[in-house]
Amino acid sequence: MPSAVGPLKINSVSGGVVNFGDSFYLAPKSTSKTSAGAGGFNTGDFINTNIGWSSTNTNDPDGVDQPLAGNA
Protein backbone atom coordinates (compact mmCIF):
# COMPACT_ATOMS: atom_id res chain seq x y z
CA MET A 1 0.00 0.00 0.00
CA PRO A 2 1.58 3.33 -0.98
CA SER A 3 2.05 6.09 1.54
CA ALA A 4 2.66 9.82 1.34
CA VAL A 5 5.30 11.42 3.53
CA GLY A 6 5.11 15.18 4.03
CA PRO A 7 7.84 17.65 4.95
CA LEU A 8 10.54 16.15 7.12
CA LYS A 9 13.51 17.41 9.13
CA ILE A 10 16.03 15.04 10.73
CA ASN A 11 18.81 16.74 12.67
CA SER A 12 20.64 13.55 13.61
CA VAL A 13 20.17 9.79 13.95
CA SER A 14 22.26 8.03 16.57
CA GLY A 15 22.11 4.24 16.39
CA GLY A 16 18.49 4.14 15.30
CA VAL A 17 16.40 3.06 12.35
CA VAL A 18 14.27 5.48 10.36
CA ASN A 19 11.46 3.82 8.41
CA PHE A 20 9.27 5.51 5.82
CA GLY A 21 6.36 3.93 4.03
CA ASP A 22 5.03 0.43 4.42
CA SER A 23 6.54 -2.12 6.77
CA PHE A 24 5.73 -5.74 7.45
CA TYR A 25 7.68 -6.47 10.62
CA LEU A 26 9.20 -4.07 13.15
CA ALA A 27 10.64 -5.21 16.46
CA PRO A 28 12.81 -3.43 19.04
CA LYS A 29 16.41 -4.61 19.36
CA SER A 30 17.04 -2.75 22.61
CA THR A 31 15.02 -0.97 25.25
CA SER A 32 15.66 1.77 27.78
CA LYS A 33 13.71 4.02 30.10
CA THR A 34 14.36 7.69 30.76
CA SER A 35 12.60 10.08 33.11
CA ALA A 36 12.63 13.85 32.74
CA GLY A 37 10.59 16.78 33.97
CA ALA A 38 8.15 18.88 31.97
CA GLY A 39 9.85 20.39 28.94
CA GLY A 40 12.95 18.24 29.43
CA PHE A 41 13.08 16.75 25.94
CA ASN A 42 11.77 19.64 23.83
CA THR A 43 13.56 19.76 20.48
CA GLY A 44 13.12 21.87 17.38
CA ASP A 45 13.40 25.43 16.29
CA PHE A 46 12.21 28.37 18.43
CA ILE A 47 11.24 26.44 21.59
CA ASN A 48 9.61 28.50 24.34
CA THR A 49 8.72 26.51 27.46
CA ASN A 50 7.19 28.17 30.52
CA ILE A 51 6.98 25.75 33.45
CA GLY A 52 6.00 27.08 36.86
CA TRP A 53 6.56 23.83 38.75
CA SER A 54 7.42 20.30 37.66
CA SER A 55 7.53 16.93 39.42
CA THR A 56 8.47 13.64 37.75
CA ASN A 57 7.20 10.35 39.16
CA THR A 58 9.80 7.62 38.54
CA ASN A 59 7.94 4.78 40.31
CA ASP A 60 7.43 1.77 38.01
CA PRO A 61 5.29 -1.00 39.52
CA ASP A 62 5.38 -3.39 36.53
CA GLY A 63 8.39 -5.67 36.03
CA VAL A 64 8.80 -5.54 32.24
CA ASP A 65 7.66 -2.71 29.96
CA GLN A 66 8.96 -3.95 26.60
CA PRO A 67 10.07 -7.59 26.40
CA LEU A 68 12.88 -8.43 23.98
CA ALA A 69 12.29 -12.19 23.91
CA GLY A 70 11.84 -13.47 20.38
CA ASN A 71 13.22 -10.38 18.63
CA ALA A 72 15.95 -11.49 16.27
Side-chain angles (χ1 to χ4, degrees), residues 28-42:
K29 305 301 183 225
S30 66
T31 62
S32 64
K33 181 177 288 192
T34 306
S35 300
F41 293 122
N42 288 343

Side-chain angles (χ1 to χ4, degrees), residues 36-58:
F41 293 122
N42 288 343
T43 59
D45 300 328
F46 310 113
I47 297 296
N48 183 8
T49 305
N50 298 310
I51 305 297
W53 185 76
S54 175
S55 176
T56 302
N57 182 4
T58 58

Side-chain angles (χ1 to χ4, degrees), residues 3-5 9 11 19 25-26 31 49 53-54 57 60 65 69:
S3 63
V5 178
K9 177 181 178 182
N11 290 328
N19 184 20
Y25 179 74
L26 295 175
T31 62
T49 305
W53 185 76
S54 175
N57 182 4
D60 188 13
D65 292 322

